[in-house]
Amino acid sequence: MDAASNKGKKKPENDNFVSKRKLGELLIESGLLTIDKLKDALEAQKSTGKRLGEALIDMKIISEEEMAFSLAMQLKIPFIDLLDYSIKGDILECIPEEVCHKFICIPLSMKNNILDVAMADPLDLHIMKDLQFITGYNIQPAISTRSQIMDKLQRHYHPERSIKDVADEFIEDPSLMEFLPDDETKIEDEPDFEAFKDSPFIKMVDLIIRNAIKSGSSDVHIEAQENHVRVRNRIDGVLKDSIKLPKWTQPIIISRIKVLAGLNIAERRLPQDGRIKVKARNVAVDLRVSTLPTYYGEKAVIRILNKEEAFLSIDQIGLSQKNFTILTNFIRRPTGMVLITGPTGSGKTSTLYACMREMKSEEVNIISVEDPVEYELYGVNQVQINEKVGLSFPFILRSILRQDPNVIMIGEIRDEETAEIAVQASMTGHLVLSTLHTNDAPSAVTRLIDIGIPPYLIASSLIGIAAQRLVRTICPDCKEEYVPSQDSLARLNLDQNDLPFKFYRGAGCLNCNNTGFKGRTIIEEIMIIGPKIRDLIQSSATADTLREAAMAMGMTTLGVSGIKKIERGVTTIDEVLKAVHEKEELTTVCPHCSKTVSLDFRDCPYCKNPIVPTCSSCKKIVQPDWVVCPYCRHSLKPET
C-alpha cells in the first residue's frame, strides 16, 4: 500500500502516544517516578537486559498496579482488574495460548468485529499490529498487570500446574501426609471431587495442614475473601498469615477438607463439624474440622490436637513453686471438687489433662466426660458427649457414679443439673475436676450460686479454685534487655527513674519467626477454700469480699503472678496487661486513703493501714466500718 492511499486517514488515537511518548516520560508526568530513579532503572536495565517496566518493578521503585493505573490515565485507555473479571471460554480461544504468553495479553470480549484485549504493555504498537494480523479482528487495547494476565491464562489453560506451583512455593518438603484409612472417606464415591482426586489440590490441602503442624499451630483458618483465599495459622494464640491462594481454588480446597472429615460436600448452606486423623512424621494428630458459610463462601477452621505436645506434666505448665505445691495437694485429696477457671483459650483443658496424668495409676479409676474428647489419655476412661442420642453431661454423670470411680473429670459445668451432680459426687467420696468460664477464682463461687447451687453445698464441696491465663514467653535466642515506655510502666504504677528490676523483650529472629516470642506459659491465681473462706461462702459473700479474704490468706493474684513473670524475664508487660485486661486487676485501692497500691501489699505504704483489715485479736477479716469484731467481740475502734 503506497503512501498516497494512506493520505487523509486518521491514525489510531493510541498510535500518537506510542510513536511520541516513552514509558519513563509518562511515569514522570504522573508523579510516580523521579528523574534520578529513572536513571537508576535505566542503568539496571542495561545490566539485566530487561524492559524498563520490569526493571522498575524488580527494583521496587513502582508496583505493577501503580504502573498500570498511570498508563491507563495517561493513554486514556481502561484499566481492567482481572481478579474478579469473568471471561468466556470461547473469547479466550480467539488468541492462541502461545501468542498470549509471548505478548503478555489476554482477550476480554468481542463486539462488532472489535476484540478488546488487556495488555501489560500497551505502548508497544507492534503487538497490536501482530494481534490484528493473527486474529483478523480490530484490536481495542486495555491495560492490566502482568501477574494478573499470567494468572488468568494459567487458570484457564493449566489449572493443575497453577496450583502445583503455589504448593511447591509453599513448602519445601514434597512428602505427603498419611491420612489414616478408617477416617478417610472414599473419594471415588464423591462425583464433585472425582475430577480432582489426582490433582495437586490434594497436595495443597496436605501441605497446608502439615505446615501448620510443623510450625506448632493450634488452628488453621481457611477464609474466603472477596478476591482470594486467605490461610492463617494460630501460633502461640496469635493468628498469622500463611499463604494467599487464588479465589477460584476455594470450593475445591473446602471440598477436599470435607471429604477427609466425612462431611457432606453438597451442603454449603449450613455449618458442619467433622474429624480427621492423620499421621505426620510418625506422629498421630487429631484434626477437628468446622465449616461455616460466609458472605464470600465457606470458611473452614481446622483445630490441631497434637498428642506429643499436649501431654504436659504439672511441673511443665508454668506454675510457680508455691502454686505447684498447692495444686498438687488438691489432686491428692480423696474427695472434694477442684475448679479450673478462665476464658476460652486460657489452657484450662491442658491443666486438667496434666492433673489426670499426675493422678493416673493402677489403684485409681479415672473417668472423664468431655465434649468432645480432645486427647486420648491412656489409663483414663473417657466418655464423649453426644446430645443427638441423649448422652448429655447429667445423663452420663449419673451412670458414671455407678462405675466405682475415684476421680471424675467433667469437661465443663454448664448448667444447674450438671453442677448439682458434680457437687453431690464430690461429697460422696469422689474427687471431681472441672472447669468454669469466669474471670478469676473468687468469681467461680458466685457463678455457682448464680447457677442455682446453695452456698452451703459449695462451701462443703469445694477444696480449691485455680484461675489462669496464657501469655507468650520471650524467645531465648533473641532476648534482650530494654527500658519500657513510660506509658507501659504507668499501667504498673512504675516510673522509668526508679525501676525495681530489669525488663526484657524479644528482638525477633528466625527461631521465633521474627515475633520475639516462642511458646506460652500461664499466669495463675489459686484460692484455697479454708475455714475463713467457707464461712464467707456460707454467708453469700460477694466476689470482692472473697478476693480480699483470699489475699489476706496469701493468694497470689493473676496480676501479681504476671508481674513476677515479667521480673523473671519470662514475658513482657504488654503480654501480661493483655492477659489480665485491666490495670485495676494489677492494683487495688486503699480503703483508708483511697490511693492506688499494688495487690501484693499487705499494708498501705502511704497511710500504714492494712489493705485487708483483720481483727487484731482473732485475725479474722472484718469490714472497714465495723466497730466491733462479730467473732470475738474485740473493739475495732482505734485507740485515742
Side-chain angles (χ1 to χ4, degrees):
M1 187 179 294
D2 56 13
S5 62
N6 284 329
K7 187 176 181 179
K9 286 190 177 182
K10 185 179 179 181
K11 287 187 178 182
E13 182 181 357
N14 204 57
D15 283 6
N16 294 325
F17 287 99
V18 174
S19 59
K20 298 180 181 180
R21 311 300 296 276
K22 294 182 179 181
L23 175 61
E25 296 175 359
L26 293 175
L27 295 177
I28 290 175
E29 284 185 7
S30 63
L32 292 174
L33 191 64
T34 64
I35 296 177
D36 292 338
K37 293 292 185 181
L38 177 60
K39 291 179 180 178
D40 293 341
L42 291 172
E43 289 295 327
Q45 181 189 12
K46 292 178 182 178
S47 59
T48 60
K50 294 183 177 180
R51 301 172 69 92
L52 177 60
E54 295 177 359
L56 289 169
I57 294 171
D58 291 343
M59 296 174 67
K60 297 183 179 179
I61 295 175
I62 188 173
S63 68
E64 281 188 296
E65 290 77 11
E66 289 173 333
M67 181 178 297
F69 275 122
S70 174
L71 290 176
M73 293 176 62
Q74 292 287 335
L75 300 178
K76 299 180 182 180
I77 61 176
F79 171 81
I80 305 297
D81 186 356
L82 294 177
L83 286 176
D84 51 0
Y85 194 94
S86 178
I87 306 175
K88 294 181 180 180
D90 56 342
I91 297 296
L92 280 167
E93 303 297 332
C94 290
I95 302 177
E97 178 190 355
E98 59 273 12
V99 175
C100 290
H101 279 92
K102 179 181 178 182
F103 295 147
I104 312 177
C105 64
I106 188 169
L108 302 174
S109 60
M110 185 170 61
K111 185 178 181 181
N112 298 330
N113 210 40
I114 298 176
L115 182 64
D116 293 324
V117 180
M119 306 174 182
D121 186 6
L123 291 171
D124 193 338
L125 178 61
H126 299 292
I127 292 179
M128 283 186 282
K129 290 183 176 179
D130 289 345
L131 288 176
Q132 185 170 341
F133 176 78
I134 293 171
T135 62
Y137 302 119
N138 294 321
I139 304 300
Q140 181 68 38
I143 188 169
S144 185
T145 65
R146 176 190 180 94
S147 58
Q148 287 188 1
I149 292 173
M150 299 305 290
D151 181 65
K152 202 79 170 179
L153 292 172
Q154 196 79 340
R155 278 188 276 170
H156 176 72
Y157 289 106
H158 306 285
E160 295 85 2
R161 189 193 307 166
S162 176
I163 196 69
K164 181 180 182 299
D165 292 340
V166 177
D168 290 340
E169 294 175 3
F170 183 45
I171 196 167
E172 296 178 358
D173 187 359
S175 60
L176 297 182
M177 190 161 24
E178 177 185 356
F179 292 88
L180 302 185
D182 54 340
D183 286 291
E184 173 95 38
T185 304
K186 290 184 178 180
I187 296 176
E188 293 79 16
D189 297 336
E190 304 291 348
D192 291 345
F193 201 76
E194 177 69 28
F196 296 98
K197 68 177 183 177
D198 294 322
S199 77
F201 291 97
I202 294 177
K203 181 181 178 182
M204 171 55 67
V205 173
D206 206 31
L207 295 176
I208 290 173
I209 296 173
R210 190 158 48 83
N211 186 64
I213 296 173
K214 180 181 178 182
S215 62
S217 305
S218 60
D219 301 88
V220 181
H221 292 242
I222 302 170
E223 303 167 321
Q225 303 294 301
E226 182 178 6
N227 298 318
H228 63 275
V229 178
R230 179 170 64 172
V231 180
R232 296 190 291 173
N233 295 338
R234 187 179 294 278
I235 303 174
D236 293 334
V238 178
L239 281 172
K240 186 173 183 181
D241 283 338
S242 173
I243 187 176
K244 287 184 180 180
L245 299 172
K247 174 70 174 177
W248 60 277
T249 65
Q250 183 263 339
I252 306 170
I253 290 176
I254 297 297
S255 294
R256 171 61 179 169
I257 293 172
K258 284 184 175 182
V259 167
L260 293 171
L263 304 179
N264 181 8
I265 66 172
E267 180 56 74
R268 299 182 178 90
R269 299 168 298 176
L270 297 174
Q272 298 186 68
D273 295 301
R275 183 173 178 174
I276 307 172
K277 283 188 177 181
V278 301
K279 182 179 287 186
R281 298 183 179 179
N282 297 321
V283 176
V285 179
D286 284 339
L287 307 177
R288 299 290 166 76
V289 177
S290 174
T291 64
L292 180 72
T294 67
Y295 184 74
Y296 291 116
E298 282 188 288
K299 172 185 176 179
V301 175
I302 303 174
R303 181 77 183 272
I304 300 173
L305 305 174
N306 194 331
K307 299 178 182 179
E308 295 295 319
E309 298 180 0
F311 294 149
L312 301 174
S313 58
I314 295 182
D315 59 345
Q316 293 176 318
I317 61 178
L319 293 169
S320 65
Q321 186 59 45
K322 172 187 172 183
N323 288 333
F324 167 76
T325 303
I326 294 173
L327 186 57
T328 304
N329 291 335
F330 284 167
I331 63 177
R332 287 176 180 170
R333 299 273 290 271
T335 63
M337 182 162 65
V338 179
L339 294 178
I340 311 294
T341 72
T344 301
S346 59
K348 300 187 298 295
T349 303
S350 296
T351 301
L352 283 181
Y353 273 86
C355 292
M356 289 194 293
R357 189 179 183 188
E358 184 74 17
M359 294 183 290
K360 189 176 60 175
S361 69
E362 294 181 358
E363 295 85 16
V364 178
N365 177 24
I366 304 175
I367 302 179
S368 72
V369 186
E370 305 171 59
D371 183 23
V373 174
E374 293 198 9
Y375 301 102
E376 296 175 10
L377 187 58
Y378 177 78
V380 176
N381 303 288
Q382 296 172 274
V383 184
Q384 180 161 316
I385 296 299
N386 188 348
E387 297 283 357
K388 294 180 180 178
V389 298
L391 280 178
S392 61
F393 273 112
F395 183 83
I396 294 175
L397 286 174
R398 293 191 189 94
S399 302
I400 282 177
L401 294 176
R402 297 189 289 269
Q403 291 288 319
D404 187 32
N406 298 105
V407 179
I408 301 173
M409 194 279 272
I410 305 171
E412 181 185 350
I413 294 178
R414 299 176 178 174
D415 50 45
E416 181 180 359
E417 192 174 6
T418 303
E420 285 179 351
I421 299 173
V423 169
Q424 292 171 4
S426 66
M427 298 175 63
T428 55
H430 308 90
L431 179 64
V432 177
L433 307 176
S434 188
T435 68
L436 268 179
H437 287 285
T438 61
N439 289 330
D440 53 24
S443 299
V445 175
T446 55
R447 170 65 176 153
L448 289 175
I449 294 175
D450 292 340
I451 287 177
I453 306 302
Y456 73 91
L457 287 179
I458 299 173
S460 302
S461 59
L462 268 179
I463 60 177
I465 306 170
Q468 65 180 59
R469 300 286 192 278
L470 286 175
V471 294
R472 292 185 291 174
T473 56
I474 299 172
C475 174
D477 294 335
C478 58
K479 186 176 180 180
E480 64 177 12
E481 183 181 344
Y482 82 113
V483 177
S485 66
Q486 185 56 48
D487 291 339
S488 297
L489 291 171
R491 300 180 70 183
L492 301 180
N493 286 330
L494 298 176
D495 189 87
Q496 281 185 335
N497 300 322
D498 187 22
L499 296 179
F501 47 80
K502 295 180 179 179
F503 292 83
Y504 296 91
R505 65 183 176 187
C509 63
L510 293 177
N511 188 43
C512 62
N513 203 13
N514 290 317
T515 62
F517 297 97
K518 188 71 173 179
R520 289 190 289 179
T521 187
I522 68 169
I523 56 175
E524 77 286 344
E525 65 180 21
I526 300 183
M527 186 170 77
I528 303 173
I529 311 298
K532 293 182 180 180
I533 303 292
R534 293 188 195 280
D535 292 341
L536 290 173
I537 293 175
Q538 288 184 0
S539 62
S540 300
T542 64
D544 291 337
T545 303
L546 291 173
R547 169 178 285 279
E548 292 175 355
M551 288 168 56
M553 299 287 293
M555 180 183 78
T556 302
T557 62
L558 284 169
V560 174
S561 176
I563 291 175
K564 289 183 177 179
K565 287 285 199 302
I566 297 172
E567 182 178 359
R568 289 165 47 201
V570 176
T571 188
T572 64
I573 293 178
D574 291 338
E575 281 295 303
V576 172
L577 290 172
K578 185 170 62 175
V580 298
H581 300 298
E582 296 293 340
K583 172 186 174 182
E584 286 72 16
E585 296 189 35
L586 298 172
T587 58
T588 188
V589 176
C590 175
H592 304 282
C593 65
S594 300
K595 289 190 176 182
T596 301
V597 295
S598 177
L599 280 175
D600 56 350
F601 291 169
R602 295 292 182 90
D603 297 326
C604 177
Y606 301 102
C607 66
K608 298 183 180 180
N609 287 305
I611 301 299
V612 181
T614 58
C615 176
S616 59
S617 176
C618 65
K619 304 302 180 184
K620 289 192 175 182
I621 296 174
V622 296
Q623 297 298 320
D625 55 347
W626 290 357
V627 296
V628 66
C629 176
Y631 306 104
C632 67
R633 302 199 58 79
H634 178 73
S635 177
L636 299 177
K637 288 185 177 180
E639 296 181 2
T640 57

